[in-house]
Amino acid sequence: MMKPVVAVAAILLTTPFAVAGPIDNACIRSDRGARSPGLCGCIQQVANMTLSRADQRRAAGFFKDAQQAQDVRMSKTAADNQFWARYKNFASTAEAYCGR
């Protein structure tokens, strides 16, 4: 499991943070205190490495409505379970490389 994390780290260290996307936009607009362009850009870069654009758009909704995340996490559908596994991978990778 370490290989993807190392690859993400290498890309994060060599790519500029000027990367706009659904996660970055939702993060900047969030009322949860993140709003740091550097932090939001880092999170977007991890999203680009770990999530499809469709997954990014879905996950961006979690910034506005945390209940959406809870609903997906508790869902019993295979599609939601698969998305949640991808989202958890994204979140743990973003925390490791973008954490404050």
Side-chain angles (χ1 to χ4, degrees), residues 1 5 8 22 36 39 51 58 63 65 68 73 75-76 78 81 84 87-89 97:
M1 196 85 188
V5 171
V8 170
S36 161
L39 176 59
L51 297 173
R58 187 173 185 188
F63 284 84
D65 183 6
Q68 281 183 343
R73 187 177 76 80
S75 174
K76 300 296 183 208
N81 289 337
W84 191 252
Y87 179 78
K88 282 188 351 182
N89 177 59
Y97 289 98

Side-chain angles (χ1 to χ4, degrees), residues 5-23:
V5 171
V6 171
V8 170
I11 291 168
L12 287 176
L13 294 173
T14 60
T15 306
F17 281 106
V19 180
I23 299 291

Side-chain angles (χ1 to χ4, degrees), residues 20-91:
I23 299 291
D24 180 58
N25 291 333
C27 178
I28 291 293
R29 292 184 179 121
S30 173
D31 62 354
R32 296 177 193 221
R35 295 193 190 187
S36 161
L39 176 59
C40 292
C42 181
I43 294 168
Q44 179 64 57
Q45 285 185 337
V46 173
N48 290 343
M49 297 292 135
T50 58
L51 297 173
S52 69
R53 288 296 274 187
D55 283 351
Q56 289 181 38
R57 287 189 299 273
R58 187 173 185 188
F62 297 169
F63 284 84
K64 278 187 179 176
D65 183 6
Q67 184 60 44
Q68 281 183 343
Q70 183 66 10
D71 293 346
V72 172
R73 187 177 76 80
M74 299 303 293
S75 174
K76 300 296 183 208
T77 70
D80 283 346
N81 289 337
Q82 291 165 358
F83 168 77
W84 191 252
R86 293 188 302 273
Y87 179 78
K88 282 188 351 182
N89 177 59
F90 153 70

